[in-house]
Amino acid sequence: MSITAETAAAHKNDPAVLCCRAEAGTKLEPANFEDPAIFPDLIDTGLLNVDGALKLGQVLNGSTLTKTVDSLTPITPDIVDKYDDDVADEAEAATEDAAEEETAVAPTVGGTVSNVSMKAVGGVLKLYIGEGKDIAIEFPL
């Protein structure tokens, strides 16, 4: 799933991974990238390896792909025409602000349903419903 400019700004220090297949000559913009919130699950299942990947902040500068690549491909120096050497310090401040906003919002459970728990872990909301058939639902925040 592609991300917005706001999400890209909040995740400038996270690995840059394409969400969809992209042709050589594509100018990289936020909509080309996968949401970093799902990376832990993809890495755990072996679907993604971000070793050597550039950061979002390094390639959202007008970088263009030099090769056609598939979805879930990390952006590395050999597939872009240019990249910044480092991510600006303001990206760290934006990430910290976003983290503070996330922790300030506490999930709540409404109604009178018993055996229900909800918690946010590593950017993923986990909802467990113990009544009935033990339904567990997880999705990125």
Side-chain angles (χ1 to χ4, degrees):
M1 181 172 76
S2 64
I3 59 175
T4 63
E6 292 81 18
T7 303
H11 291 277
K12 282 189 176 186
N13 288 314
D14 289 329
V17 177
L18 292 173
C19 68
C20 305
R21 177 181 165 87
E23 301 292 326
T26 300
K27 183 177 177 183
L28 297 175
E29 53 189 43
N32 296 113
F33 295 103
E34 185 61 67
D35 186 352
I38 69 168
F39 291 174
D41 289 336
L42 294 175
I43 292 168
D44 288 347
T45 59
L47 294 173
L48 180 63
N49 181 353
V50 294
D51 294 342
L54 296 169
K55 296 177 182 179
L56 278 169
Q58 291 178 281
V59 296
L60 288 175
N61 60 356
S63 296
T64 302
L65 288 175
T66 58
K67 297 179 182 178
T68 299
V69 291
D70 289 326
S71 61
L72 294 180
T73 299
I75 301 297
T76 55
D78 62 321
I79 64 171
V80 290
D81 64 342
K82 65 179 180 175
Y83 61 93
D84 294 337
D85 288 333
D86 204 4
V87 180
D89 290 338
E90 73 181 56
E92 292 177 21
T95 303
E96 290 172 7
D97 290 344
E100 288 175 11
E101 289 176 17
E102 286 179 15
T103 57
V105 178
T108 59
V109 178
T112 58
V113 180
S114 62
N115 295 325
V116 174
S117 67
M118 187 174 0
K119 62 183 177 178
V121 177
V124 175
L125 178 69
K126 296 183 176 190
L127 174 66
Y128 176 78
I129 304 171
E131 188 175 317
K133 297 184 181 189
D134 291 330
I135 301 166
I137 303 170
E138 299 179 20
F139 55 90
L141 295 173

